[in-house]
């Protein structure tokens, strides 16, 4: 009985359990299926368009050019300083492809030697004055004729002449005849007469033994003033003054100080007759072999240098004069101006006629052009 009851209870228990599982299964809720959330699409930045044909500046020169410039003046003086400025500019402008070495006075010979070297192409450049280069191109000596340039702002007149006048065209034609090319005309200050005795009037010039640069034109010019001109190399002037071989000399202030002429001269006279003109020059064959862009850079740089170079030399002259007076206060400064110049002017103008005798084939043309250019420049610049 007990066994039967036990089996019966077990059967009931199995049935209840089975029924409970069915009920649980039926009542359970299915877990909701989450649908994927659509994210906003990310906008991709468009790729930059690459220009496959990027323009690259072509080098000015495709090979290194090495050249030499011989200066008529010592280290630190006008020609050498501005030649070095030009050298630095050309090096930078060409990204190091144009290399120009500058040789100050004495390193390659005297003034006549270096002009010959440039003419022959042994050196490519020479920076010389109108008188020394005039031995080869006599037309250049027109720049030394007395009383052509105005007393007021002559450097601005030069700038106008170079940029706008006919003078440079005729000058280049004349230079090319001798295998050279002028690049500009530079203002280096007024020429000063230094002497052992005072020069105040034309009478004081009579018999005055004065050193000049070798030039037929300058010889005629000072003969016309009544002096006894003596051509002499630059490096011999000091000893000539010291020994009494000559009574005086003519140079701008910077040269008088740098060459120590003031040590043996007591009087400085300014008659405002002659502007000292430097002419940067290049060998024609070398110049014509350069790319046109390089040639133009030469012309542009030297034209643009006229006014800043004039500022530089004017400031330098103030400093030099003061330094010389500080060292030798007994030096007397004499300025001949206004009506006191009349006798000097009258005597000087006679030499202008003689210029046509030894000023070269283009003497008349360059004289007429320069006189006309200067007058036009004065009008344009408001100079009387």
């Amino acid at each position: 009985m007990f066994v039967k009851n036990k089996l019966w209870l077990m059967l009931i228990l199995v049935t209840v359990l089975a029924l409970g599982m069915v009920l649980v299964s039926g009542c359970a809720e299915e877990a909701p299926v989450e649908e994927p959330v659509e994210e906003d699409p990310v906008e991709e930045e468009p790729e930059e368009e690459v220009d496959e044909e990027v323009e690259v500046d072509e080098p000015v020169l495709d090979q290194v050019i090495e050249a030499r410039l011989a200066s008529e003046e010592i280290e630190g003086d006008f020609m050498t300083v501005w030649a070095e400025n030009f050298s630095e500019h050309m090096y930078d402008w060409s990204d190091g492809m144009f290399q120009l070495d500058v040789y100050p006075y004495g390193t390659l010979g005297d003034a006549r030697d270096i002009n010959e070297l440039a003419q022959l192409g042994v050196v490519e450049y020479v920076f010389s004055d109108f008188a020394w280069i005039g031995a080869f191109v006599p037309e250049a000596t027109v720049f030394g004729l007395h009383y052509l340039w105005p007393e007021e702002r002559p450097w601005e007149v030069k700038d106008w002449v170079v940029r706008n006048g006919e003078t440079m065209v005729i000058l280049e034609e004349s230079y090319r005849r001798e295998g050279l090319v002028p690049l500009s005309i530079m203002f280096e200050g007024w020429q000063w007469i230094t002497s052992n005795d005072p020069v105040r009037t034309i009478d004081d010039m009579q018999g005055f033994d004065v050193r000049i640069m070798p030039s037929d034109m300058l010889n005629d010019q000072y003969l016309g003033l009544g002096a006894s001109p003596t051509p002499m190399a630059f490096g011999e002037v000091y000893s000539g003054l010291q020994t009494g071989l000559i009574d005086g000399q003519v140079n701008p202030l910077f040269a008088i100080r740098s060459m120590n002429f003031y040590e043996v001269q007591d009087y400085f006279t300014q008659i405002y007759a002659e502007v000292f003109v430097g002419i940067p020059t290049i060998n024609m064959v070398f110049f014509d072999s350069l790319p046109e862009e390089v040639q133009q850079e030469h012309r542009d740089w030297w034209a643009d240098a006229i006014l800043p170079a004039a500022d530089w030399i004017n400031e330098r002259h103030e400093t030099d004069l003061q330094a010389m007076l500080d060292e030798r206060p007994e030096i007397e400064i004499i300025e001949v101006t206004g009506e006191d110049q009349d006798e000097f002017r009258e005597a000087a103008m006679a030499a202008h006629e003689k210029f046509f005798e030894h000023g070269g084939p283009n003497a008349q043309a360059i004289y007429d052009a320069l006189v006309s250019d200067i007058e036009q420049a004065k009008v344009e610049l408001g100079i009387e």
Side-chain angles (χ1 to χ4, degrees):
M1 182 72 177
F2 176 79
V3 174
K4 285 182 180 181
N5 289 338
K6 186 176 182 178
L7 289 172
W8 178 250
L9 288 173
M10 289 179 64
L11 179 61
I12 291 172
L13 180 61
V14 170
T15 302
V16 171
L17 288 174
L19 180 60
M21 291 184 65
V22 171
L23 291 173
V24 171
S25 176
C27 294
E29 295 182 1
E30 292 183 2
V33 177
E34 295 184 1
E35 295 183 3
V37 178
E38 294 184 4
E39 298 181 357
D40 293 335
V42 178
E43 294 185 3
E44 297 183 0
E45 296 183 2
E47 296 183 3
E48 294 184 2
E49 294 183 4
V50 179
D51 187 358
E52 296 181 357
E53 297 181 0
V54 177
E55 291 186 5
V56 179
D57 290 339
E58 293 292 332
V60 177
L61 295 168
D62 56 10
Q63 60 181 1
V64 173
I65 292 179
E66 297 179 345
R68 291 142 295 185
L69 186 153
S71 170
E72 182 185 302
E73 295 169 358
I74 65 172
E75 187 72 39
D77 277 358
F78 182 94
M79 290 182 184
T80 303
V81 167
W82 285 89
E84 290 170 344
N85 290 344
F86 173 66
S87 172
E88 292 174 6
H89 169 78
M90 291 303 296
Y91 184 87
D92 294 339
W93 179 78
S94 66
D95 294 327
M97 299 295 281
F98 198 100
Q99 301 174 9
L100 176 62
D101 292 327
V102 176
Y103 295 86
Y105 174 78
T107 55
L108 295 179
D110 64 20
R112 182 179 179 87
D113 293 336
I114 60 178
N115 282 286
E116 288 180 343
L117 292 176
Q119 188 180 35
L120 295 171
V122 177
V123 299
E124 290 77 13
Y125 300 81
V126 63
F127 200 167
S128 181
D129 66 77
F130 64 88
W132 284 105
I133 199 73
F136 308 96
V137 187
E139 287 87 348
T141 60
V142 72
F143 297 117
L145 288 173
H146 286 187
Y147 295 108
L148 276 182
W149 302 94
E151 193 172 326
E152 181 184 353
R153 293 146 52 201
W155 49 89
E156 292 184 27
V157 175
K158 284 183 185 294
D159 180 75
W160 193 97
V161 169
V162 169
R163 296 180 186 279
N164 306 293
E166 292 298 318
T167 301
M168 291 302 293
V169 175
I170 300 171
L171 187 67
E172 180 163 341
E173 177 186 327
S174 304
Y175 267 59
R176 283 184 173 274
R177 185 184 65 231
E178 302 300 328
L180 299 166
V181 177
L183 298 172
S184 187
I185 53 173
M186 308 296 289
F187 173 81
E188 294 195 48
W190 289 100
Q191 296 275 49
W192 285 74
I193 299 170
T194 68
S195 57
N196 295 323
D197 297 309
V199 174
R200 292 187 173 89
T201 69
I202 196 72
D203 292 337
D204 296 328
M205 293 292 291
Q206 307 310 304
F208 175 45
D209 197 346
V210 59
R211 179 267 176 181
I212 62 169
M213 297 176 289
S215 164
D216 291 338
M217 185 278 296
L218 285 177
N219 190 69
D220 290 341
Q221 197 75 84
Y222 282 93
L223 282 173
L225 296 179
S228 298
T230 302
M232 184 180 292
F234 192 45
E236 299 173 2
V237 177
Y238 185 90
S239 61
L241 294 170
Q242 189 177 41
T243 60
L245 181 63
I246 50 178
D247 300 323
Q249 61 84 49
V250 180
N251 259 302
L253 286 173
F254 74 85
I256 294 170
R257 184 187 181 197
S258 65
M259 299 300 287
N260 298 319
F261 300 153
Y262 71 96
E263 295 178 348
V264 287
Q265 298 275 265
D266 294 331
Y267 297 92
F268 288 16
T269 302
Q270 182 54 258
I271 61 175
Y272 295 102
E274 180 186 344
V275 167
F276 189 60
V277 177
I279 307 176
T281 299
I282 185 171
N283 177 272
M284 181 181 71
V285 174
F286 174 72
F287 183 71
D288 290 345
S289 72
L290 297 174
E292 185 175 343
E293 185 179 359
V294 179
Q295 292 182 24
Q296 191 60 47
E297 188 65 19
H298 277 58
R299 297 185 191 277
D300 291 345
W301 191 88
W302 282 107
D304 292 343
I306 295 172
L307 295 183
D311 290 340
W312 183 89
I313 198 61
N314 286 334
E315 291 178 9
R316 165 76 182 271
H317 281 161
E318 289 182 10
T319 301
D320 284 339
L321 181 58
Q322 189 59 56
M324 289 185 284
L325 292 175
D326 288 344
E327 187 172 337
R328 294 196 68 229
E330 64 269 29
I331 291 174
E332 183 177 343
I333 305 298
I334 302 168
E335 289 191 73
V336 180
T337 60
E339 293 181 357
D340 294 336
Q341 286 182 357
D342 290 347
E343 289 184 318
F344 286 95
R345 287 179 178 275
E346 185 178 349
M349 294 307 291
H352 286 216
E353 293 298 323
K354 292 192 174 183
F355 170 72
F356 305 127
E357 299 175 10
H358 45 66
N362 291 327
Q364 186 71 58
I366 198 166
Y367 180 87
D368 292 344
L370 182 58
V371 170
S372 176
D373 287 347
I374 289 174
E375 289 306 311
Q376 289 185 58
K378 288 164 62 178
V379 171
E380 293 291 334
L381 297 169
I383 297 173
E384 297 183 0

